[in-house]
Amino acid sequence: MPEIEAVLSDIAAEMAARADRGDVVTYIPQLGKVDPRKFGLTIAMVDGRVFCAGDADEAFSIQSISKVFTLTLALGKIGDSLWQRVGREPSGNPFNSIVQLEQERGIPRNPFINPGAIVVSDVLLAGHQPREAIGEILRFVQFLADDETVFIDHEVAASERATGFRNFALANYMRSFGNLEHAAELTLGVYFHHCAIAMTCRQLALAGRFLACDGRNPATGHSVVSAERARRINALMLTCGHYDGSGDFAFRVGISGKSGVGGGILGVVPGVASMAVWSPGLNAAGNSRLGSIALEKLAKAMNWSIFSP
Amino acid sequence: MPEIEAVLSDIAAEMAARADRGDVVTYIPQLGKVDPRKFGLTIAMVDGRVFCAGDADEAFSIQSISKVFTLTLALGKIGDSLWQRVGREPSGNPFNSIVQLEQERGIPRNPFINPGAIVVSDVLLAGHQPREAIGEILRFVQFLADDETVFIDHEVAASERATGFRNFALANYMRSFGNLEHAAELTLGVYFHHCAIAMTCRQLALAGRFLACDGRNPATGHSVVSAERARRINALMLTCGHYDGSGDFAFRVGISGKSGVGGGILGVVPGVASMAVWSPGLNAAGNSRLGSIALEKLAKAMNWSIFSP
Amino acid sequence: MPEIEAVLSDIAAEMAARADRGDVVTYIPQLGKVDPRKFGLTIAMVDGRVFCAGDADEAFSIQSISKVFTLTLALGKIGDSLWQRVGREPSGNPFNSIVQLEQERGIPRNPFINPGAIVVSDVLLAGHQPREAIGEILRFVQFLADDETVFIDHEVAASERATGFRNFALANYMRSFGNLEHAAELTLGVYFHHCAIAMTCRQLALAGRFLACDGRNPATGHSVVSAERARRINALMLTCGHYDGSGDFAFRVGISGKSGVGGGILGVVPGVASMAVWSPGLNAAGNSRLGSIALEKLAKAMNWSIFSP
Amino acid sequence: MPEIEAVLSDIAAEMAARADRGDVVTYIPQLGKVDPRKFGLTIAMVDGRVFCAGDADEAFSIQSISKVFTLTLALGKIGDSLWQRVGREPSGNPFNSIVQLEQERGIPRNPFINPGAIVVSDVLLAGHQPREAIGEILRFVQFLADDETVFIDHEVAASERATGFRNFALANYMRSFGNLEHAAELTLGVYFHHCAIAMTCRQLALAGRFLACDGRNPATGHSVVSAERARRINALMLTCGHYDGSGDFAFRVGISGKSGVGGGILGVVPGVASMAVWSPGLNAAGNSRLGSIALEKLAKAMNWSIFSP
């Protein structure tokens, strides 16, 4: 097995030098201001070692990666009854497509596309004020990362609210089928805020480590979810974690991952490590361009595919 | 680790007793005659041990499972240029949907849905007569299974040809976009015949073992494909191997698999085992109902998920 | 030519006796309370004669029929530049489908399906408060009907606002493509109110008479629109006036018409008459079941098809 | 009323001078060879007068215009039971779309899009050899035009057969739903041949005159179809005769019409005239670009809209 530090610094150096960095998202104005030259990478081994490179300690907007954490919370809250309101299949369509919702009568394909995550937010809102639900999500992520400095960027949340017409469309559309229990404004209040959580690569890799460890935090030994649930979340990340680029990510990289339009990706190799990469420019499918490439190189160098012995 | 023989016989006994066996496919008349009470299961460990239960030595029509083998052959023939003609994403649609083909200008989503496999057949036909291409595929499967008794059921092939209007539609449709090089009749001649390959669970599990062993046949040490290619085929099986039930199979079972409407499923756990199950009744997504359940129980009992440490 | 009074009373008698009245719409709760046995019919001849039968002087919710009047107003306001924001083709889909909006980047197919009419409302809102725009529409309809008792049923408008999630979805969706200039709340405020206009058959037939008279009010001689514009509005009613039942209505009835889910239909035979029918029960395409049949019988008896000499 | 000869020669002169002629179709190779400068126009008045301009006596491939004649024949053969196999609604999709066929289980939207016309050919084939059915269609068109020189261009038919993969796809697709009684080869043999009928503008205008005359040939007084059927065919031409440009044609031109990719359009103004125009270049919707414009100018100059008094 190669030396992990050497692999990491090679990849970081190569990524820093590349010019083909993709385009920073612009439909959320606040995110359009991020410097496309940023690149950070953290690997959190299950044995407790943590390796970082580049801008690994700079916070970025985790966006859809937060859907892994809200899904985990919602499953803890209502268990498998969640699957009556959300599917578990890859969508085969862009993350904000509304076509499938019409054909499938308001039931989103999976919890990682926008409408699915909005339903998850709706579940977390039940019995709470939006402010409370948002607070619960943030505290859960802080707990997972074991770091109370994880915060919500309210400017990003406000930016999304002001321009998120597509998400208002999706929410109202699902409500017309009875698959949203709260007013779109309230549910999207929760949604926009958890998407605006800001984390560093280091924090994100640590927060995802329970998925590499049968649902337990290896530092404390505390169980976050059952081993079976951790396994299933990993499966969903593999099949649905990169929108309509999920198949390609599985094919090229071969590990479970969840991307966000802020340019971050959380990766999981069960029994080995969790990892977080950040490069703001996106590819055509809306996933971090250099982030995907960095994880592909890392997985190949370390032989970390879940599809090989 | 539990005793594999005991697990196997428990599962076989439970499956034999179940009444909810799903429905045998009827749109291929010849397949409609199969006895729905059949159930076979074989596990081929990478260490060479082979375990069987039930009707594991009775041949059945492997149907779409053959697409794993034709894909392997076609990649050997033209390499990654295949991906210019076929995608690598889950389709999110039934196996014979033509809608996506229109939207995506004749490029099928992946090589495991019908149109994708038809393109693969077209690749294998290049420079050959259909009879030769069919012979090459059969010999390849016999070689993988190390068993020359694997055969093509010509009655099944004729039955599919006589009623396969949807496949003729798909083939002509792709040809209208220039993504089929041969007349539909010829390419489908190859396609219908490889779908009509008949194998036992034992043969099938052995034929798929190279996918669990980094591309090598562990019995002979010969390399069938590179380790990277084996890994990538496993990834495609995971994301696309069960049509629009692929996400659910990954979620529940957690291993790479490819199903066929004959009621068979080939499963792969890299570094551990390949396995084949057969129960003719299908669930709503067109995958073996009891076969899926048997693999779910097996994977759970043996802790074989690729998504856990 | 048959005696029109006799034809009219025969049809009214037959319709009163029929049991197959369709189902009253329920998704707008206020409309669900209407008595399904109601039936009214008015014919306003271009020569000034007016014939009535049944409940022709009872007000009902004209719903989508109002879209003929708002389209007329919007064309008067911004002319053919409207067609940069709305198409002129039959949609081939239900009235509230969102699929086409995705494929066609936020441009609705025609001004008579919901999203198209919402764009028209957005046009009428420009430079105004919603209250002013609503007032302008109401006064225009009163002017056309020459009857100041035409009113807006505010309970119906409130009922639609409280349950119109699908329309909120459509509006927000178009806004995400930049095809809505005002907040969804404001534009839909206008939309829900003009849909809630209440009119009698008599008022409605008179209000539509300019379309049968080259754009002029035959009573006063005043021009409402140019002859060309009247002709074109008639064409749009013919091809798009009955949602995805438009082709069938043209085939069976053979006159221009616009239906509403309140059970009304406005019909136009250029040079001959305008007419209004009301029967609250709807057919599968969302058009008045007995209303369609009554107009079919009327057109046949009077030989009023626009497709015959 | 203006002098028809003057209007006609003005239009012909203007059309001859225009450079924006659209593109000649190329997917049927034989049609790609036609000179794009051709322009012909014939008006056949119901009083028996016939006016011609330009290349009105040069034969061209009528293509989809033939669908008006095969529909008429099929309705004569099996009556309204045809509508169990074909719909009567505008498709809202391109002429060769297969998407709707999947959603609507093999029932084409209307008899003028390709799949609908293929079903009509299948009806005409029942009980016959393809050669006989083709002969019957040709003789019917010759009878309507009262001209035995109307012929089938066998090179065009062969050209379509050799490249018509999309139509083979549509036919096989419908057959998979049981909506085609004969093998695709046979039915398409009929279809390709009637699309390859060659006619002059003069012949075509005369052949369509029964539609302007309540179903009767005004020269002989013989009835071709009932008045109701003529009216209904006119309605279908209006709503569905120009593929997904039908709404626009109704809006701009305001008469019933059926176009073909050979650049011809048959127009009908009931009680007034039938007319045929030919200009080979097509617009984006696949209809004759200058042909549409010429009919728009003609209808406007003569005030021939069916939507005005």
Side-chain angles (χ1 to χ4, degrees):
Chain A
M1 179 155 131
E3 202 58 61
I4 193 165
E5 288 93 339
V7 167
L8 196 58
S9 70
D10 281 0
I11 289 174
E14 183 187 338
M15 294 301 131
R18 287 182 78 142
D20 55 333
R21 308 186 80 82
D23 293 317
V24 174
V25 75
T26 54
Y27 69 83
I28 303 173
Q30 203 67 16
L31 295 186
K33 302 176 185 169
V34 175
D35 182 350
R37 289 165 303 181
K38 296 291 181 184
F39 179 86
L41 179 53
T42 295
I43 303 168
M45 306 298 289
V46 299
D47 62 15
R49 289 179 298 158
V50 176
F51 303 96
C52 289
D55 305 305
D57 285 308
E58 185 165 332
F60 61 93
S61 191
I62 67 168
Q63 292 292 315
S64 292
I65 303 171
S66 62
K67 297 170 183 173
V68 175
F69 305 125
T70 55
L71 170 65
T72 303
L73 259 187
L75 286 171
K77 194 168 180 179
I78 65 167
D80 284 340
S81 69
L82 175 67
W83 306 119
Q84 295 168 11
R85 294 176 60 187
V86 189
R88 300 188 296 229
E89 290 298 328
S91 74
N93 277 311
F95 60 92
N96 55 9
S97 173
I98 207 160
V99 169
Q100 239 163 18
L101 274 188
E102 177 162 324
Q103 290 161 351
E104 297 173 10
R105 318 255 339 130
I107 305 295
R109 271 292 172 96
N110 67 64
F112 292 152
I113 51 173
N114 290 18
I118 291 169
V119 168
V120 169
S121 290
D122 197 58
V123 166
L124 295 178
L125 183 54
H128 294 291
Q129 294 300 313
R131 180 183 301 267
E132 297 167 359
I134 295 165
E136 185 188 4
I137 295 168
L138 179 60
R139 285 189 302 276
F140 181 60
V141 177
Q142 289 171 335
F143 161 75
L144 290 176
D146 194 20
D147 189 334
E148 299 206 345
T149 69
V150 173
F151 68 100
I152 290 174
D153 185 330
H154 290 279
E155 283 189 23
V156 169
S159 183
E160 295 202 48
R161 174 187 283 279
T163 59
F165 303 119
R166 191 75 76 102
N167 287 319
F168 276 98
L170 292 166
N172 277 291
Y173 199 69
M174 290 190 291
R175 192 144 198 230
S176 77
F177 284 108
N179 198 17
L180 213 68
E181 291 177 0
H182 304 84
E185 309 255 300
L186 300 180
T187 298
L188 289 177
V190 177
Y191 177 80
F192 290 138
H193 279 83
H194 75 64
C195 285
I197 291 175
M199 297 178 83
T200 66
C201 285
R202 183 189 302 268
Q203 290 168 335
L204 185 54
L206 287 170
R209 198 160 47 163
F210 73 100
L211 292 169
C213 300
D214 259 349
R216 277 188 304 278
N217 182 334
T220 64
H222 290 155
S223 175
V224 178
V225 295
S226 71
E228 182 179 73
R229 184 158 290 163
R231 196 164 72 222
R232 289 180 161 188
I233 294 171
N234 288 335
L236 284 166
M237 288 171 69
L238 194 287
T239 55
C240 313
H242 282 75
Y243 309 122
D244 51 344
S246 297
D248 192 61
F249 189 85
F251 182 89
R252 290 196 297 111
V253 185
I255 70 174
S256 291
K258 179 74 203 82
S259 73
V261 293
I265 304 175
L266 170 65
V268 175
V269 184
V272 178
S274 58
M275 63 208 75
V277 64
W278 173 46
S279 173
L282 307 182
N283 62 22
N287 302 308
S288 175
R289 179 167 161 69
L290 293 194
S292 306
I293 293 171
L295 289 184
E296 183 179 0
K297 288 178 180 290
L298 177 64
K300 187 167 187 173
M302 303 302 296
N303 195 25
W304 278 352
S305 169
I306 64 174
F307 298 111
S308 61
Chain B
M1 180 155 132
E3 202 59 60
I4 193 163
E5 287 94 340
V7 168
L8 197 57
S9 70
D10 281 0
I11 290 173
E14 183 187 339
M15 294 302 132
R18 286 181 78 140
D20 55 333
R21 308 186 80 81
D23 294 316
V24 174
V25 76
T26 54
Y27 68 84
I28 303 172
Q30 203 66 16
L31 296 187
K33 303 176 186 169
V34 175
D35 181 350
R37 289 166 302 179
K38 295 294 181 181
F39 179 86
L41 178 55
T42 295
I43 302 168
M45 307 296 289
V46 299
D47 63 14
R49 290 178 298 158
V50 176
F51 304 96
C52 289
D55 306 304
D57 285 309
E58 184 165 333
F60 61 93
S61 191
I62 67 168
Q63 292 291 315
S64 293
I65 304 172
S66 62
K67 296 170 185 176
V68 174
F69 306 126
T70 55
L71 170 66
T72 304
L73 258 188
L75 285 171
K77 195 168 179 180
I78 65 167
D80 284 339
S81 69
L82 175 67
W83 306 118
Q84 295 166 11
R85 294 176 60 186
V86 189
R88 303 187 294 232
E89 292 297 329
S91 73
N93 277 309
F95 61 90
N96 55 8
S97 172
I98 207 162
V99 168
Q100 240 163 17
L101 274 188
E102 177 162 322
Q103 290 162 350
E104 298 174 7
R105 318 252 342 127
I107 306 294
R109 270 293 172 96
N110 66 64
F112 292 151
I113 52 174
N114 289 19
I118 292 169
V119 168
V120 169
S121 289
D122 197 59
V123 166
L124 295 178
L125 183 54
H128 293 291
Q129 293 301 315
R131 179 183 299 267
E132 297 166 359
I134 295 164
E136 185 188 6
I137 296 167
L138 179 60
R139 284 190 302 276
F140 180 62
V141 177
Q142 290 171 334
F143 161 75
L144 291 177
D146 194 19
D147 190 334
E148 298 207 345
T149 68
V150 174
F151 67 100
I152 289 172
D153 184 328
H154 291 280
E155 283 190 23
V156 169
S159 183
E160 295 204 48
R161 173 186 286 277
T163 59
F165 304 120
R166 190 74 75 101
N167 287 318
F168 276 99
L170 292 167
N172 277 291
Y173 200 67
M174 291 190 290
R175 193 146 198 227
S176 78
F177 284 108
N179 198 18
L180 213 68
E181 291 177 1
H182 304 85
E185 310 255 299
L186 301 179
T187 297
L188 289 176
V190 177
Y191 177 81
F192 289 138
H193 278 84
H194 76 64
C195 285
I197 291 175
M199 298 177 82
T200 66
C201 286
R202 183 189 301 269
Q203 290 168 333
L204 185 55
L206 288 170
R209 197 161 48 163
F210 72 101
L211 292 170
C213 301
D214 260 349
R216 277 188 304 278
N217 182 333
T220 63
H222 289 156
S223 175
V224 178
V225 295
S226 70
E228 181 179 74
R229 183 158 290 163
R231 197 164 72 222
R232 290 180 159 186
I233 294 171
N234 287 336
L236 284 166
M237 289 170 69
L238 194 287
T239 55
C240 313
H242 282 75
Y243 310 122
D244 51 345
S246 297
D248 192 60
F249 189 84
F251 182 90
R252 291 197 297 112
V253 186
I255 71 173
S256 292
K258 179 75 203 84
S259 74
V261 292
I265 304 175
L266 170 65
V268 175
V269 184
V272 178
S274 58
M275 63 208 74
V277 64
W278 172 48
S279 174
L282 306 183
N283 62 22
N287 302 307
S288 174
R289 180 168 160 70
L290 292 194
S292 305
I293 293 170
L295 290 185
E296 182 179 0
K297 290 179 178 289
L298 176 63
K300 187 168 187 173
M302 303 301 296
N303 195 24
W304 278 353
S305 169
I306 63 174
F307 298 110
S308 61
Chain C
M1 179 155 131
E3 203 58 59
I4 191 164
E5 288 94 339
V7 168
L8 197 57
S9 70
D10 281 1
I11 290 173
E14 183 187 339
M15 293 302 131
R18 287 181 78 141
D20 55 333
R21 307 186 82 82
D23 294 316
V24 174
V25 75
T26 54
Y27 69 85
I28 302 173
Q30 203 66 17
L31 296 186
K33 303 176 185 169
V34 175
D35 182 350
R37 289 165 303 179
K38 296 292 181 183
F39 180 85
L41 179 54
T42 295
I43 302 169
M45 307 296 291
V46 298
D47 62 14
R49 290 179 298 158
V50 175
F51 304 95
C52 288
D55 306 305
D57 286 309
E58 184 165 332
F60 61 92
S61 192
I62 67 169
Q63 291 293 315
S64 292
I65 304 172
S66 62
K67 296 171 185 174
V68 175
F69 306 126
T70 54
L71 170 65
T72 304
L73 259 187
L75 286 171
K77 193 167 180 180
I78 64 166
D80 284 339
S81 69
L82 176 66
W83 306 118
Q84 294 166 11
R85 293 176 60 187
V86 189
R88 302 187 296 230
E89 292 298 329
S91 74
N93 277 310
F95 61 90
N96 55 9
S97 171
I98 206 161
V99 169
Q100 241 162 15
L101 274 188
E102 177 162 324
Q103 290 162 351
E104 298 174 9
R105 318 256 339 132
I107 305 294
R109 270 292 172 96
N110 66 64
F112 292 153
I113 51 174
N114 290 18
I118 292 169
V119 168
V120 169
S121 289
D122 197 58
V123 167
L124 296 177
L125 183 54
H128 293 292
Q129 293 300 313
R131 180 183 300 268
E132 298 167 359
I134 295 165
E136 184 188 5
I137 296 168
L138 179 60
R139 284 190 302 276
F140 181 60
V141 177
Q142 290 171 334
F143 161 75
L144 290 176
D146 194 19
D147 189 333
E148 298 207 344
T149 68
V150 173
F151 67 100
I152 289 173
D153 185 329
H154 291 280
E155 282 190 24
V156 169
S159 184
E160 295 203 48
R161 174 186 284 279
T163 59
F165 304 119
R166 190 74 75 102
N167 287 318
F168 276 98
L170 292 167
N172 277 292
Y173 200 67
M174 291 190 289
R175 193 144 199 229
S176 78
F177 284 109
N179 197 19
L180 213 68
E181 291 178 0
H182 304 85
E185 309 255 300
L186 300 179
T187 297
L188 289 176
V190 177
Y191 176 81
F192 289 138
H193 279 83
H194 76 65
C195 285
I197 291 175
M199 298 178 81
T200 67
C201 285
R202 183 189 300 269
Q203 291 168 333
L204 185 55
L206 287 170
R209 199 162 46 163
F210 74 100
L211 292 170
C213 300
D214 260 350
R216 275 189 303 279
N217 182 332
T220 64
H222 288 156
S223 174
V224 178
V225 295
S226 70
E228 182 180 73
R229 184 159 289 164
R231 198 163 71 221
R232 290 180 160 187
I233 294 171
N234 288 335
L236 284 167
M237 288 169 69
L238 194 288
T239 54
C240 313
H242 283 74
Y243 309 122
D244 52 344
S246 297
D248 193 60
F249 188 85
F251 182 89
R252 291 196 297 112
V253 186
I255 71 173
S256 291
K258 181 72 203 83
S259 73
V261 291
I265 305 176
L266 169 66
V268 175
V269 184
V272 178
S274 58
M275 63 208 75
V277 66
W278 172 47
S279 174
L282 307 183
N283 61 23
N287 303 305
S288 175
R289 179 167 160 70
L290 292 194
S292 305
I293 293 170
L295 290 184
E296 182 178 1
K297 290 179 178 289
L298 177 63
K300 186 167 188 173
M302 303 302 295
N303 195 25
W304 278 352
S305 169
I306 63 174
F307 298 111
S308 61
Chain D
M1 179 155 133
E3 202 58 61
I4 193 164
E5 288 94 339
V7 167
L8 197 57
S9 69
D10 281 0
I11 290 173
E14 184 188 338
M15 294 302 131
R18 287 180 78 142
D20 56 332
R21 308 186 81 83
D23 294 316
V24 174
V25 75
T26 54
Y27 69 83
I28 304 171
Q30 203 66 15
L31 295 186
K33 303 175 184 169
V34 175
D35 182 349
R37 289 165 304 180
K38 296 292 181 184
F39 180 85
L41 179 53
T42 294
I43 302 168
M45 307 296 290
V46 297
D47 61 15
R49 289 179 298 157
V50 175
F51 304 96
C52 288
D55 305 305
D57 285 310
E58 184 164 333
F60 62 93
S61 191
I62 67 168
Q63 292 291 317
S64 292
I65 303 171
S66 62
K67 296 171 184 174
V68 175
F69 305 126
T70 55
L71 171 66
T72 304
L73 259 186
L75 286 170
K77 194 167 180 178
I78 65 167
D80 284 340
S81 69
L82 176 66
W83 306 118
Q84 295 167 10
R85 294 176 60 186
V86 189
R88 301 187 295 230
E89 291 298 329
S91 74
N93 277 309
F95 61 90
N96 55 10
S97 172
I98 207 161
V99 169
Q100 240 161 17
L101 274 188
E102 177 162 323
Q103 290 161 351
E104 297 173 9
R105 317 252 342 129
I107 306 294
R109 272 291 172 98
N110 66 65
F112 292 152
I113 51 173
N114 290 20
I118 291 169
V119 168
V120 169
S121 289
D122 197 58
V123 166
L124 295 178
L125 182 54
H128 295 290
Q129 293 302 313
R131 179 182 301 267
E132 298 166 359
I134 295 164
E136 185 187 5
I137 296 168
L138 179 60
R139 284 190 302 277
F140 181 60
V141 177
Q142 289 171 336
F143 160 74
L144 290 176
D146 194 20
D147 189 333
E148 299 207 343
T149 69
V150 173
F151 68 99
I152 289 173
D153 184 328
H154 290 281
E155 283 190 23
V156 169
S159 183
E160 295 203 47
R161 175 186 282 279
T163 59
F165 304 119
R166 190 75 75 104
N167 287 318
F168 275 99
L170 292 166
N172 276 292
Y173 200 68
M174 290 190 290
R175 193 144 198 229
S176 77
F177 284 108
N179 198 18
L180 213 68
E181 291 177 359
H182 304 85
E185 309 254 299
L186 300 180
T187 297
L188 289 177
V190 177
Y191 176 80
F192 289 138
H193 279 84
H194 75 64
C195 285
I197 291 176
M199 297 179 83
T200 66
C201 285
R202 183 189 302 268
Q203 291 168 334
L204 185 55
L206 287 170
R209 199 160 47 163
F210 73 100
L211 292 170
C213 300
D214 260 348
R216 278 189 301 278
N217 182 335
T220 64
H222 289 156
S223 175
V224 179
V225 295
S226 71
E228 183 180 71
R229 184 158 290 164
R231 197 164 72 222
R232 290 180 160 187
I233 293 171
N234 288 336
L236 284 166
M237 288 170 69
L238 194 288
T239 54
C240 313
H242 282 75
Y243 310 121
D244 51 345
S246 297
D248 192 60
F249 189 84
F251 182 89
R252 290 196 297 111
V253 185
I255 69 173
S256 291
K258 179 74 203 85
S259 73
V261 292
I265 304 174
L266 170 65
V268 175
V269 184
V272 178
S274 59
M275 63 208 74
V277 64
W278 173 47
S279 174
L282 307 182
N283 61 23
N287 302 306
S288 175
R289 179 169 161 68
L290 292 194
S292 305
I293 294 171
L295 289 185
E296 182 179 1
K297 289 178 179 289
L298 177 64
K300 186 168 188 173
M302 303 302 295
N303 195 24
W304 277 353
S305 170
I306 63 174
F307 298 110
S308 61

